Amino acid sequence: MIIKNAIIYTEQKAFQKGELYIQDGKFSSQTTEHMVIDANGCYAIPGLIDLHLHGCGGHDLCDGTLESLASIAQYEARAGITAICPATMTLPKQDLINILRTAAEYKNQCQPSGAHADLVGINMEGPFISSAKKGAQDPQHIVSCSTQTAREFIEASDGLVKLIGIAPECNPDFVSFITQLKDQVHISLAHTNADYATAKAAFDAGADHAVHLYNAMPAFTHRQPGVIGAVCDSPHVYAELICDGIHIHPAVVRATLRMLGADRVVFISDSMRATGMPDGSYTLGGLDVNVTNKKATLASDGAIAGSASNLMECVKTAVTQMDIPLETAIACATIHPAKRLGIFEERGSISVGKKADLVLLDDSLNVKLVIKDGKCLTADKTV
């Protein structure tokens, strides 16, 4: 396949006009394939990578079925998200183990190719969190962090678990937990009420990730900088941001990119099953959720309950409504999550030898064509 006249996003996080070549499902320096796509006026960007979503299209990872995983992957691919690392909720231990086993079975035995996003990991948002910052997590299933339980989760997933969240202030032995597991998975601070000193101690021990920064954690103030201040002072830590226009004010998104440096920021969707669906009543982690105008809130207390936007919509919102440069927004949804998940050698940028996962966007950032593993996902190849 040859894609000509494209405005190509490069690993240097800049655009240049040129041609792309795809051979045997990978980006190449030449090709013997004869299909030609004229991408005149279109941006060519890598397929997006969402390392924190729960579901979409009426399905959720925690449904615990192969069918739900396939449906989620199909929806995501068509939206231009070609790799996913969905997140668990706070559920009973055995339920989580069953969900992780199903994910491993899907990954190892029956993952569809082509028209489906690749399952590249699992992000365990619960159950080792704080009831004080539970958000849309079910408090009755919150437990203290346990190295043994975490290892059971990793084993059940056949190594698919890439991140495990904890609230360090709720766990006196959090340093031991982190030091024992940090070489197997990324330890994140998630749904935590930790103060600065506790959060910084966790990062100093080897935790290196923050789940949806600003949400489900203490506010950043001039005398109590909390988790956010500790993230700022820990250069090895990546931070997730939900740029759906609901979770975080645009000024805060801009300030965070300046404060941390864009290289440490990963855009996520935190999407739940209502994404891609009409307004109505849904569930998240067993709790009832109402969705109106893309805002998802718990029926019980009105707390925000995930998002109803996919990652491509979040990127578009960041650029068009938050004044984030397009080059920065794309990096935060491709290069940075690929590096966080340890898969940058095979995906996350348009480079010779990497998987040919590609999205063509028009000048309004609408998806015109998705190419997955070198194959177009739509019957109409024109753009």
Side-chain angles (χ1 to χ4, degrees):
M1 181 187 297
I2 301 173
I3 302 171
K4 63 180 184 179
N5 300 320
I7 307 169
I8 304 165
Y9 186 72
T10 70
E11 275 195 9
Q12 290 68 47
K13 303 178 182 179
F15 287 100
Q16 65 180 31
K17 194 76 174 282
E19 289 187 347
L20 291 172
Y21 302 95
I22 294 172
Q23 178 78 34
D24 299 327
K26 294 185 176 182
F27 294 116
S28 176
S29 58
Q30 58 185 3
T31 183
T32 58
E33 298 178 11
H34 301 296
M35 180 186 294
V36 177
I37 294 175
D38 188 349
N40 187 44
C42 288
Y43 298 107
I45 68 170
L48 304 191
I49 302 170
D50 196 348
L51 63 67
H52 187 148
L53 71 155
H54 296 281
C56 53
H59 300 274
D60 190 290
L61 166 70
C62 290
D63 294 341
T65 68
L66 300 172
E67 293 76 16
S68 283
L69 281 167
S71 294
I72 291 168
Q74 185 176 49
Y75 170 92
E76 294 291 313
R78 292 187 178 280
I81 300 101
T82 56
I84 54 173
C85 175
T88 58
M89 295 293 290
T90 297
L91 297 169
K93 174 182 172 180
Q94 191 57 51
D95 288 357
L96 288 170
I97 286 174
N98 292 339
I99 289 163
L100 295 171
R101 285 174 177 162
T102 299
E105 180 184 355
Y106 176 86
K107 167 77 172 177
N108 296 331
Q109 300 179 30
C110 48
Q111 179 165 236
S113 61
H116 295 72
D118 295 327
L119 180 63
V120 295
I122 298 291
N123 185 342
M124 296 204 72
E125 190 173 3
F128 307 134
I129 62 171
S130 164
S131 58
K133 293 293 181 179
K134 61 182 175 58
Q137 307 278 339
D138 191 337
Q140 67 179 323
H141 303 308
I142 293 173
V143 296
S144 297
C145 64
S146 158
T147 304
Q148 176 59 35
T149 299
R151 286 178 172 151
E152 289 181 51
F153 290 152
I154 295 168
E155 181 180 2
S157 74
D158 195 23
L160 199 54
V161 169
K162 303 300 181 184
L163 305 105
I164 296 180
I166 67 168
E169 76 282 6
C170 298
N171 300 279
D173 60 347
F174 71 86
V175 170
S176 175
F177 179 89
I178 293 168
T179 55
Q180 290 184 66
L181 291 170
K182 66 180 182 179
D183 293 333
Q184 293 179 260
V185 294
H186 295 290
I187 305 299
S188 56
L189 267 57
H191 289 265
T192 172
N193 204 31
D195 59 15
Y196 173 89
T198 305
K200 188 65 167 61
F203 293 138
D204 289 346
D208 61 359
H209 195 85
V211 170
H212 45 51
L213 200 70
Y214 299 101
N215 299 113
M217 63 180 59
F220 175 58
T221 71
H222 61 302
R223 291 194 181 92
Q224 300 291 335
V227 177
I228 298 159
V231 170
C232 183
D233 284 348
S234 305
H236 67 290
V237 175
Y238 279 67
E240 302 173 357
L241 284 183
I242 309 171
C243 295
D244 62 347
I246 294 171
H247 279 77
I248 310 173
H249 192 280
V252 176
V253 173
R254 293 190 294 270
T256 303
L257 288 165
R258 290 194 296 269
M259 181 171 67
L260 300 185
D263 287 350
R264 295 170 56 197
V265 173
V266 176
F267 286 176
I268 64 166
S269 70
D270 198 22
S271 67
M272 47 88 72
R273 69 172 76 244
T275 302
M277 303 289 286
D279 287 353
S281 297
Y282 298 88
T283 60
L284 178 65
L287 304 179
D288 292 330
V289 176
N290 296 323
V291 177
T292 304
N293 295 326
K294 283 193 172 293
K295 185 174 182 178
T297 56
L298 287 181
S300 59
D301 61 10
I304 293 179
S307 88
S309 297
N310 65 52
L311 184 58
M312 188 65 77
E313 292 170 332
C314 290
V315 166
K316 183 176 180 178
T317 296
V319 175
T320 62
Q321 299 180 31
M322 299 179 174
D323 295 327
I324 305 303
L326 178 59
E327 295 86 346
T328 299
I330 293 170
C332 290
T334 57
I335 294 173
H336 303 170
K339 290 182 175 179
R340 171 80 308 179
L341 293 169
I343 56 176
F344 188 59
E345 290 187 0
E346 65 179 32
R347 65 181 82 222
S349 68
I350 299 171
S351 303
V352 171
K354 291 192 177 185
K355 286 172 61 68
D357 293 349
L358 179 77
V359 184
L360 297 182
L361 303 175
D362 65 19
D363 58 5
S364 296
L365 306 187
N366 298 310
V367 174
K368 300 298 293 181
L369 184 68
V370 179
I371 297 172
K372 177 75 175 59
D373 294 316
K375 298 185 183 301
C376 299
L377 298 194
T378 55
D380 183 4
K381 308 301 190 301
T382 62
V383 294

